[in-house]
Every structure is written in structure tokens, then in C-alpha cells.
């Protein structure tokens, strides 16, 4: 994973968290984002992670990490417990897309979702050239990708409309982690959304 | 990596009576314990290891024979305690204690009742997890430890770690609750009761006063252990280890030992019955059954845990059906509900409930990583 871009993604999320807020990071990996939110924003954070190696690393990072499978929903987490529920670069790996989005907004007041944009121009070029795209934000070959869902900004927004989710804010980044202001579904490689009910 | 070498038990005598949850009063009592590592000047690096049903104070290292040579008697959790091990004796001062009512040196049913000058036997009170924690707090006082860096245990030991955070919130900074549950299920209690009935109905039990008859209820204790042992293993593990394999010469269509699993269980039962006290077994299982911190809070575990100030590490094992991961998640979710600090790891292991005693690298790494956050 590109380091500069990861930070760009995290920069945005960190800017949305107010001091002392409660954050749930789904698919938190080694807990880098939470560690940053705790250090910089004084957030109270929990992470959920499936992979044992990542859980081990998160524990080493002093994170409140809960090992569990997002596909089984967030039962056990109470309604409206968190200010922000983050799903960073993970939605495309989840099978039960609608359920996880609903669950995020059940346990939290705001869902923060980032995902790779399949309609990014380089991805379109790759498909035009007859190959599945491999890029900074889609770094896998078709045969080893953990990604199950391939979708675009427009696709995602259509789903949000269908589910009556409110898009509070949308930021789109290019492969270098710079903000994309025009033609986001064409020039944007990674999208970050703030959603509410 | 080398272990901690030869260890020796110590005994602390307490003369102030201990008030028990069940209403009784224990006038005076002994606790036998071992320590490993060095207590720092600030007395801030102490970890208490609580034992489960059949455990004791000899957690790590080897005891010595009369010539000072190490024996084969290795501590029951030696694989996790020692220099460079997860409970690193270079950093921490580790304390193992035999619980009240035990049969390894601390005051228990086989001890002499000062009122009668005979063994307590059936008259030894039923002690609870809360009572154990109260008695362990006396030991902490005795050792000059104001607050434990951590209290840790597996199974019934994990329940003691949890209880510590509730009975003495200011005296425990971290609780490591491993392969435990917030209370027993009806099924758990049912298994315990069958085990108890095996002992209580043994003709050699004599209502718990078997010491004066010069016998021990070995048959009952053996059955109790065999039953318990089944619940500690996983179906897969049993299938892999024993399957339906027959012993040589078996196939006699009788009731002698034929299948390997029968042989194994009988061996475990005999081994245990030879060294354990039946009255202790009854009391340990009762302590398990009674443990229910949420009882006084309308069964609301989150409310019960709200007074804890410790950070928690909760660990469960995928094949543990005695205290399944689901039961550990109840603890985790109650803590999350309260906004308390908790990490939870669910370890892939084939060994069922017994996994907590196994030298499984990922599991040990989780414990080691968690303990790194403790600054003594």
C-alpha cells in the first residue's frame, strides 16, 4: 500500500474527528489510524479486525482492538455508541455491503467510508487495453485480490440514495494523494465519504 | 529459552478472620505461594497469576529434591513465565498462589479445624471467587504490593482476574481474562453437578469426613475428572488424537478398556484422583457455579463491570466449547459499552478449553504484546 496515499486518506479522517470523540475503526489493521486519532485528536477508539497478525500488531500498538468478522455484522455494539464509524479501504472486500453500511449507522452517528474508484481513468484505460487494472489503490492481480466488489463513485452514490443515506461530505484523491476537485469519477483514485442517516 | 530454574514455595499466615460471601468466617488461614522475578523498588511490576480448577501456586520453574536438584515437577504454566517469555521475569515479579480451599498447602478441607482439632472435611466453608480475591488481597498486603500491574488467569483463573477489577478497582491496572466467561451456563453447571454427584455418591466419601476413615473417594474423583477432561478437549482434537483406534488385543465385546480414548481418560482420572482432594474439587466447582458478577445488577454485565478501572485483555479459543468465544465476547461488549479499555483476541487452536495452557506461538505473542504496554 502506498504510504503517502494512506496518510492522505488518514489526514482527511483525522480532520473530521473532534477532540474526545468516540471512533470505531472497522478493519483497523495494525491500528495506525486509531493510534493517530488517539494521539492527535484525543479520541477514544476501538478497532475491529479479522486477521490474527493484524490484531497482534494492533495490541502491540496499544489499541483497543476487537478480533471479529465484519461479515457477521456489529451485534454486540450498541446503537449510536460512536461519533464516527470508519471503514477505510475495506468496503470493497465485504460481501454484505448494505448490511455493513446499515450497521455502521446503527452503532455510529456518522459513517466514514473510503474505497478505490474503479472508474478512475487509469483503471478504465487498463480495461480498454484488455486487462484488469492494477494500481496504487487496486494493488492486486485479479487472481489474488481480496476485493469482492468493484464499483465507482456513481455506483456508490446510487446505493446511498437507494438506502436513503445522506452524503455529508465527499473528498476524492488521486494516486498521489492530492485532492481531486473536478471530474472526480474520472480523475479520482480513492473516494472518502461521510455518511449519515 | 531457558526457564527460571528451581523454585520454592512460601507460606503466609493470616491471623485476622476472613469474612466469607457464604456467611461463614474463616478464623485464620495460610496461603502458599511462589514468586518469580524481582519486585521493583516502586513495587509496581507485580503480576498475580490465578489458577483454575485443578491448579495451584506452582506456576513455573521446577521444585527441588532433598539434594537441591531440580525434579520433574514443572509449573503448570511454565511455558508462559520466565526470562524472555510473555510473563517476562526480567521485567515482572510474578506471584502464583494456591487458593483457599485448595489441596496444595493453603488452608483447605484437609487442614486441621482449630475448633475440633480434626480435619475440616465437609465443614470447610464453600468459598467463592470473591473470597479468593479477598484472600489474595491479604497476600498483596503481605508482599507490600499496593496495586498489581496485572492479574491474569485462564478459565476459573480468568474469573478471578475479572473479580479483582471489581472488588479492588484501584489495586489492579490490567486484567488478562483468558478462556473465561462472565458466568456459567446451565450446561456448564450441569457438567459440574454430575462431577460432584460422582464424588458425593462414592461410598468412600463419608459425607466429606473421609480423612478420619482412612479412605479417599477415588472412584468419584476419578469419574469427576474424566467427565471434566472431556469438556476441556475439542471433538476434532479427540478425533485426531484417538479417533476410534482400539488398543492392541481389543475387540472382546466386553467392558474393559478397548478404545484409546477410554484408556486416556482412565489414565487422566487415575492420575488426578491420586493427588487431588475430593472436598477441594467440590468447592472449586461450586465457586465456578456461583460466579456471576452481573447478578446484583439485574443481569446487566456492563453495569457490573462499570466500576472496573483496569485495562482488559480478553482471549478466547475457537475450539473451546466449555467457555466459547461467544462467552468472552459478552465481557468484551460490556466493556466497550462502558467505554473501557479492552483488547480481544480469538485464537485459532485445536485444543479446546485446554488451549490456554498450550505453548501456541500466536497466543503467547498476543499476551506478550499486551504486557509490553505495561510500564512498571
Amino acid at each position: 500500500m502506498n504510504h503517502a496515499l494512506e496518510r492522505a486518506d488518514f489526514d482527511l479522517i483525522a480532520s473530521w474527528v473532534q477532540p474526545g470523540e468516540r471512533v470505531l475503526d472497522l478493519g483497523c489493521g495494525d491500528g495506525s489510524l486509531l493510534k493517530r486519532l488517539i494521539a492527535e485528536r484525543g479520541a477514544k477508539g476501538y478497532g475491529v479486525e479479522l486477521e490474527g497478525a493484524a490484531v497482534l500488531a494492533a495490541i502491540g500498538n496499544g489499541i483497543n482492538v476487537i478480533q471479529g468478522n465484519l461479515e457477521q455484522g456489529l451485534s454486540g455494539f450498541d446503537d449510536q455508541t460512536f461519533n464516527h464509524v470508519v471503514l477505510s479501504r475495506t468496503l470493497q472486500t465485504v460481501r454484505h455491503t448494505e448490511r455493513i453500511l446499515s450497521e455502521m449507522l446503527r452503532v455510529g452517528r456518522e459513517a466514514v467510508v473510503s474505497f478505490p474508484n474503479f472508474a478512475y481513468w487509469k483503471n478504465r484505460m487498463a480495461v480498454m487495453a484488455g486487462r484488469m487494472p492494477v494500481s496504487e489503490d487496486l494493488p492486486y492481480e485479479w487472481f489474488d485480490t481480496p476485493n469482492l466488489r468493484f464499483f465507482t463513485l456513481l455506483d456508490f452514490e446510487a446505493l446511498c440514495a437507494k438506502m436513503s443515506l445522506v452524503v455529508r461530505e465527499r473528498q476524492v484523491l488521486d494516486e498521489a494523494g492530492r485532492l481531486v476537485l473536478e471530474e472526480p469519477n474520472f480523475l479520482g483514485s480513492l473516494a472518502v465519504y461521510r455518511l449519515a442517516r | 529459552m531457558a526457564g527460571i530454574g528451581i523454585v520454592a514455595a512460601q507460606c503466609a499466615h493470616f491471623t485476622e478472620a476472613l469474612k466469607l460471601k457464604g456467611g461463614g468466617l474463616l478464623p485464620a488461614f495460610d496461603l502458599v505461594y511462589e514468586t518469580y522475578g524481582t519486585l521493583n523498588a516502586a513495587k509496581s511490576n507485580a503480576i498475580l497469576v490465578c489458577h483454575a480448577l485443578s491448579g495451584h501456586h506452582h506456576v513455573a520453574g521446577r521444585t527441588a529434591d532433598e539434594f537441591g536438584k531440580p525434579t520433574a515437577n514443572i509449573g503448570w504454566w511454565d511455558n508462559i513465565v520466565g526470562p524472555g517469555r510473555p510473563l517476562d521475569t526480567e521485567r515482572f515479579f510474578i506471584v502464583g498462589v494456591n487458593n483457599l480451599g485448595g489441596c496444595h498447602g493453603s488452608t483447605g478441607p484437609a487442614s486441621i479445624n482449630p475448633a475440633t482439632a480434626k480435619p475440616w472435611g465437609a465443614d470447610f466453608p464453600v468459598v467463592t471467587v470473591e473470597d479468593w480475591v479477598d484472600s489474595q488481597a491479604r497476600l498483596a498486603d503481605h508482599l507490600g504490593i499496593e496495586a498489581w500491574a496485572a492479574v491474569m488467569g485462564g478459565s476459573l483463573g480468568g474469573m478471578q482476574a475479572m473479580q479483582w477489577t471489581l472488588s479492588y478497582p484501584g489495586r489492579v491496572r490490567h486484567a488478562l481474562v483468558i478462556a473465561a466467561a462472565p458466568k456459567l451456563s446451565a450446561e456448564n453447571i450441569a457438567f459440574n453437578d454430575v462431577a460432584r454427584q460422582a464424588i458425593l455418591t462414592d461410598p468412600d466419601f463419608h459425607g466429606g469426613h473421609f480423612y478420619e476413615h482412612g479412605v479417599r473417594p477415588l472412584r468419584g474423583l476419578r469419574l469427576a475428572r474424566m467427565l471434566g477432561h472431556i469438556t476441556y478437549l475439542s471433538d476434532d482434537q479427540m478425533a485426531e488424537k484417538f479417533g476410534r483406534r482400539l488398543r492392541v488385543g481389543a475387540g472382546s465385546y466386553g467392558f474393559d478398556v478397548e478404545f484409546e480414548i477410554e484408556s486416556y481418560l482412565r489414565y487422566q482420572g487415575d492420575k488426578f484422583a491420586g493427588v487431588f482432594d475430593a472436598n477441594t474439587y467440590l468447592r472449586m466447582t461450586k465457586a465456578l457455579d456461583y460466579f456471576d458478577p452481573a447478578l446484583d445488577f439485574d443481569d446487566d454485565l456492563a453495569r457490573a463491570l462499570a466500576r472496573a478501572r483496569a485495562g482488559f485483555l480478553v482471549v478466547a479459543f475457537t475450539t473451546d466449547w466449555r467457555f466459547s468465544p461467544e462467552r468472552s465476547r459478552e465481557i468484551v461488549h460490556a466493556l466497550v459499552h462502558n467505554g473501557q479499555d479492552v483488547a480481544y483476541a480469538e485464537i485459532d487452536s485445536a485444543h479446546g478449553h485446554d488451549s490456554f495452557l498450550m505453548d501456541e506461538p500466536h497466543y503467547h505473542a498476543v499476551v506478550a504484546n499486551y504486557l509490553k504496554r505495561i510500564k512498571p
Side-chain angles (χ1 to χ4, degrees), chain A residues 44 46 56 64-65 67 78, chain B residues 337 340-342 344 346 369:
Chain A
K44 180 84 199 174
Y46 294 89
L56 178 62
N64 286 326
V65 60
Q67 189 162 14
D78 298 316
Chain B
H337 174 91
Q340 290 162 293
D341 286 328
V342 56
Y344 171 62
E346 202 167 293
N369 264 15

Side-chain angles (χ1 to χ4, degrees), chain A residues 16 22 76 88 109 133 135 145-146 151-153 162 165 173 186-187 190-191 196:
Chain A
W16 294 334
R22 288 184 62 154
S88 166
R109 279 171 226 148
S135 68
T145 180
F151 51 103
T152 70
L153 272 64
K162 174 180 167 271
L165 305 182
L173 306 170
F186 186 70
L187 297 176
L190 187 81

Side-chain angles (χ1 to χ4, degrees), chain A residues 22 44-46 52-53 55-68 72 74-78 81-82, chain B residues 312-313 329 332-347 362 365-367 369-373:
Chain A
R22 288 184 62 154
K44 180 84 199 174
Y46 294 89
V55 169
L56 178 62
I59 288 174
N61 277 326
I63 296 300
N64 286 326
V65 60
I66 316 290
Q67 189 162 14
Q72 287 156 9
L74 300 176
S75 62
F77 293 97
D78 298 316
T81 314
F82 296 94
Chain B
F312 284 77
L313 173 67
R329 283 197 291 264
V332 171
H333 290 136
L335 293 166
V336 173
H337 174 91
N338 294 338
Q340 290 162 293
D341 286 328
V342 56
Y344 171 62
E346 202 167 293
I347 312 287
H362 177 63
V366 162
V367 172
N369 264 15
Y370 185 84
L371 290 178
K372 277 178 194 149
R373 73 177 63 178

Side-chain angles (χ1 to χ4, degrees), chain A residues 155-169:
Chain A
D155 291 329
F156 183 70
E157 287 171 22
L159 178 65
C160 290
K162 174 180 167 271
M163 293 177 67
S164 306
L165 305 182
V166 179
V167 176
R168 277 187 181 164
E169 186 172 345

Side-chain angles (χ1 to χ4, degrees), chain B residues 66-293:
Chain B
E66 66 221 76
F67 308 109
K69 294 268 185 294
T71 66
N73 181 16
I74 193 161
W76 57 270
W77 217 352
D78 184 82
N79 62 28
I80 208 167
V81 178
R85 291 182 187 167
L87 275 74
D88 190 346
T89 47
E90 307 279 350
R91 293 183 64 214
F92 295 111
F93 176 68
I94 317 286
V95 179
V97 59
N98 182 213
N99 282 345
L100 269 186
C103 53
H104 292 88
S106 292
T107 300
S111 307
I112 299 299
N113 179 353
T116 62
K118 287 197 288 191
W120 282 91
D123 299 330
F124 194 84
V126 169
V127 285
T128 62
V129 171
E130 290 93 323
D131 298 330
W132 284 335
V133 168
D134 286 343
S135 69
Q136 290 160 2
R138 299 272 190 93
L139 181 63
D141 295 340
H142 173 78
L143 296 169
I145 295 161
E146 173 50 36
W148 300 101
V151 179
M152 172 173 181
S155 190
L156 179 55
M159 292 169 173
Q160 291 161 66
M162 207 184 317
Q163 186 61 43
W164 256 99
T165 71
L166 306 179
S167 294
Y168 301 94
R171 299 193 70 176
V172 49
R173 283 153 58 205
H174 293 272
L176 284 74
V177 180
I178 300 170
K183 63 182 171 197
L184 263 59
S185 66
E187 186 188 56
N188 294 147
I189 295 172
F191 275 116
N192 279 349
D193 194 48
V194 176
R196 281 192 295 267
Q197 289 302 320
I199 293 169
L200 294 167
T201 57
D202 185 321
D204 286 339
F205 183 62
H206 293 287
H209 291 291
F210 51 86
Y211 312 100
E212 45 205 90
H213 291 82
V215 292
R216 300 175 61 229
L218 294 177
R219 279 164 293 183
L221 196 51
R222 180 169 172 266
L223 280 177
R225 182 59 170 181
M226 287 171 74
L227 177 72
H229 213 88
I230 296 169
T231 71
Y232 305 148
L233 305 178
S234 75
D235 192 22
D236 285 351
Q237 179 195 15
M238 258 200 232
E240 192 184 321
K241 199 166 171 183
F242 308 105
R244 294 183 48 84
R245 271 197 316 282
L246 294 164
R247 303 198 72 199
V248 182
S252 62
Y253 295 92
F255 296 101
D256 282 338
V257 172
E258 291 194 295
F259 292 93
E260 286 290 357
I261 181 65
E262 295 176 312
S263 163
Y264 173 78
L265 281 179
R266 289 181 198 197
Y267 168 74
Q268 291 294 337
D270 285 338
K271 194 173 80 166
F272 186 76
V275 297
F276 211 78
D277 181 277
N279 281 314
T280 291
Y281 198 89
L282 294 176
R283 278 154 185 76
M284 295 282 170
T285 59
K286 267 295 182 192
L288 270 165
D289 292 1
Y290 284 131
F291 181 70
D292 184 4

Side-chain angles (χ1 to χ4, degrees), chain B residues 30-62:
Chain B
D30 291 338
L31 288 181
V32 168
Y33 64 99
E34 287 182 4
T35 70
Y36 324 110
T38 309
L39 187 61
N40 63 12
K43 301 190 173 183
S44 61
N45 67 334
I47 297 181
L48 175 67
V49 176
C50 301
H51 69 74
L53 209 151
S54 61
H56 43 71
H57 56 283
H58 182 38
V59 177
R62 291 173 187 274

Side-chain angles (χ1 to χ4, degrees), chain A residues 25-89:
Chain A
D25 185 3
L26 303 177
C28 69
D30 67 3
S32 320
L33 174 63
L34 282 169
K35 197 174 176 183
R36 184 172 161 184
L37 295 178
I38 293 162
E40 291 178 14
R41 316 297 294 173
K44 180 84 199 174
Y46 294 89
V48 177
E49 175 58 49
L50 179 62
E51 294 300 327
V55 169
L56 178 62
I59 288 174
N61 277 326
I63 296 300
N64 286 326
V65 60
I66 316 290
Q67 189 162 14
N69 188 349
L70 299 179
E71 298 286 10
Q72 287 156 9
L74 300 176
S75 62
F77 293 97
D78 298 316
D79 293 357
Q80 300 297 296
T81 314
F82 296 94
N83 299 96
H84 311 270
V85 182
V86 177
L87 190 64
S88 166
R89 298 163 189 262

